[in-house]
Amino acid sequence: MLSGVTQTTDDAPVESAPRGPARPRTRRPRTRRPRIHRAWIVAAVTFVTIIGGAAFNSLPGLLIEPLNDDFRWSYGEIGLAVSLDMALYGLTAPFAAALMDRFGIRRVVVVALSAVAAGALASVWMTASWQLMLYWGVLVGLGTGSMAMAFSATVTNRWFVARRGLVTGILTAAGASGQLVFLPLCAWIVDRHGWQPASVTVALAALVVVPFVWLLMRDHPADVGLAPYGGAYVEKPAPARGAARRTVRVLFEAARTGPFWLLAGSFAICGASTNGLIRTHFVPSAHDHGMEITAAASLLAVIGVFDIIGTVFSGWLTDRFDARRLLAVYYALRGVSLLFLPMLMAPAVHPPMVFFIVFYGLDWVATVPPTMALCREQYGEDSAIVFGWVLASHQVGAAAVAFLGGVVRDVTGSYDLVWYASGALCATAALMALMIRRGRTGDPVLPVAAA
């Protein structure tokens, strides 16, 4: 072998890294290509992890009325706890991405799963609303936030060069898959046995995933002597110190650019119209119109089915078309569908409602692959952390509607006003997406001059 080159898994020589500070020891790159690239195994473990961690997301909409009946807490009070969970979920995400750079993916995810399990299990013994906010809001919020979409972005950026859009779509669909699995199950448990066994089920789901993460997850391709899928071998970088400082620094740098605010604003509306609105308030709203809770929960599960299809297809589209225009179409269609939802509510499930559910499912998180792609296009190596902050805005938007939706229900006795307002916001998000200027992949935009 010639001096100064390193053999890659693709049998193509690349320049070796110059001598510098000591790096963590990693395995020597393999010269034979494995039959199944390890990146796909890591992606599969990530998929299962997100399902286990997202099991809790099936609960809030199902438990609003049982908690109201058992403790006489208002819709707004319960919505505030859900709002705190969503806000911390979002605000934890960018720091989680930096912590994964510092301590490794495995350690961060195992701690996060344990926090979700602890919060869900402790809620079984709560007697006051402040405990609901502590267990659901703080513990579960911090845990799920550490396994948020920034986790998917980190795995995708490290392990894949080719097929990033497709992998992003698949990993994003993991949350919907968890909804598909746990919503009907938890609805049946709540209906037959009460809300406490459903909370225990969610805690166990998070704990079951821990061994898979510890045994099969790896932080970087170099840990097993491989190149990223579709790319050249690179040494594993030294652990990044000052994770929190770096996260804040990236925020301030990104906040000086116009695309960041357009991405954050549109994604906040995305969160408001999905997690904050449909996931939290669809079941109680349908029940207000006479629909059984189990039937409404089953409709949400159907959203999960088509969410998987829509998100994977959106990832495929993102590899081929302008991400800005895809986002504009997604938001516009979502807004129109929400304007029709109040007139579709009825005691029984009928074809127009099924059509809405299928359509909304296809559009649910189809926005994620193009949003991630735009973050990569605009912010290069810092894109995972930037996306973490964009995701924070998503959850802040969700938190606002989770709380305000409950308040509107308490004051007006109906959710109609919330549906109409959310439809109008989606139209605004479509316009914001079209205003994002083009960037060059891997070449971050320069900060705009301060006013």
Side-chain angles (χ1 to χ4, degrees):
M1 183 180 294
L2 296 176
S3 174
V5 299
T6 300
Q7 191 73 11
T8 73
T9 55
D10 295 322
D11 298 325
V14 296
E15 293 186 1
S16 59
R19 294 184 179 272
R23 296 179 181 273
R25 295 185 64 184
T26 57
R27 295 185 185 181
R28 298 179 63 185
R30 297 177 182 174
T31 58
R32 297 182 63 184
R33 186 191 303 271
R35 296 182 64 182
I36 299 178
H37 196 287
R38 183 63 177 265
W40 294 108
I41 297 175
V42 171
V45 174
T46 304
F47 188 90
V48 173
T49 302
I50 295 172
I51 289 176
F56 179 85
N57 293 332
S58 304
L59 280 184
L62 299 176
L63 301 192
I64 288 179
E65 292 202 358
L67 292 176
N68 175 263
D69 292 339
D70 283 3
F71 300 105
R72 298 302 174 189
W73 298 334
S74 70
Y75 282 69
E77 201 170 6
I78 299 169
L80 181 59
V82 179
S83 173
L84 180 60
D85 163 60
M86 292 181 175
L88 282 177
Y89 175 104
L91 294 173
T92 302
F95 292 96
L99 287 173
M100 287 176 188
D101 286 344
R102 174 66 180 87
F103 298 105
I105 297 174
R106 277 199 306 178
R107 293 177 182 176
V108 172
V109 172
V110 166
V111 172
L113 287 167
S114 301
V116 173
L121 190 60
S123 67
V124 172
W125 294 283
M126 65 185 176
T127 56
S129 60
W130 67 265
Q131 294 170 323
L132 177 69
M133 294 177 191
L134 174 62
Y135 303 147
W136 278 21
V138 178
L139 280 178
V140 175
L142 291 174
T144 54
S146 298
M147 296 178 296
M149 294 174 190
F151 170 37
S152 301
T154 301
V155 170
T156 304
N157 289 349
R158 289 186 185 181
W159 282 89
F160 291 87
V161 174
R163 302 289 187 269
R164 277 180 172 173
L166 176 62
V167 174
T168 298
I170 292 172
L171 294 183
T172 303
S177 300
Q179 177 176 297
L180 172 62
V181 171
F182 288 101
L183 255 175
L185 175 62
C186 290
W188 180 84
I189 293 174
V190 170
D191 186 53
R192 297 293 182 90
H193 305 287
W195 64 269
Q196 292 94 338
S199 192
V200 173
T201 300
V202 166
L204 293 176
L207 289 176
V208 164
V209 180
V210 170
F212 291 94
V213 175
W214 192 253
L215 294 174
L216 298 176
M217 177 65 71
R218 293 295 180 270
D219 295 328
H220 194 277
D223 288 340
V224 288
L226 290 174
Y229 182 80
Y233 180 85
V234 292
E235 292 286 346
K236 182 178 180 179
R241 298 185 180 275
R245 183 168 59 253
R246 179 191 174 201
T247 300
V248 174
R249 174 183 59 78
V250 170
L251 170 63
F252 279 107
E253 291 177 356
R256 295 171 60 194
T257 67
F260 173 80
W261 293 106
L262 293 170
L263 286 167
S266 60
F267 218 44
I269 294 172
C270 177
S273 57
T274 52
N275 291 353
L277 183 65
I278 297 293
R279 178 169 286 165
T280 304
H281 295 296
F282 178 81
V283 171
S285 178
H287 191 61
D288 284 346
H289 289 80
M291 186 179 295
E292 294 291 333
I293 290 180
T294 51
S298 297
L299 289 176
L300 275 185
V302 173
I303 283 181
V305 175
F306 289 94
D307 184 5
I308 297 170
I309 299 171
T311 307
V312 174
F313 185 55
S314 177
W316 183 85
L317 291 175
T318 301
D319 286 333
R320 291 161 174 79
F321 298 100
D322 187 341
R324 300 170 304 158
R325 294 183 180 179
L326 288 176
L327 282 179
V329 171
Y330 296 158
Y331 286 127
L333 293 176
R334 182 183 299 179
V336 170
S337 67
L338 285 174
L339 296 178
F340 284 96
L341 182 56
M343 64 186 72
L344 301 180
M345 291 291 185
V349 178
H350 49 84
M353 174 59 81
V354 173
F355 178 81
F356 169 84
I357 291 297
V358 171
F359 179 83
Y360 214 81
L362 291 172
D363 191 72
W364 183 270
V365 285
T367 56
V368 172
T371 301
M372 280 189 177
L374 288 170
C375 285
R376 282 195 295 267
E377 179 181 300
Q378 301 285 350
Y379 302 104
E381 293 182 355
D382 290 328
S383 62
I385 296 177
V386 173
F387 180 74
W389 284 113
V390 172
L391 176 63
S393 71
H394 180 281
Q395 293 305 111
V396 169
V401 171
F403 171 61
L404 293 176
V407 172
V408 169
R409 169 61 175 77
D410 287 333
V411 172
T412 68
S414 169
Y415 284 103
D416 288 359
L417 182 61
V418 184
W419 305 128
Y420 295 136
S422 298
L425 284 174
C426 287
T428 303
L431 294 176
M432 294 173 72
L434 291 175
M435 293 172 62
I436 300 172
R437 70 178 185 269
R438 293 285 297 186
R440 290 181 295 172
T441 303
D443 186 12
V445 295
L446 296 175
V448 295

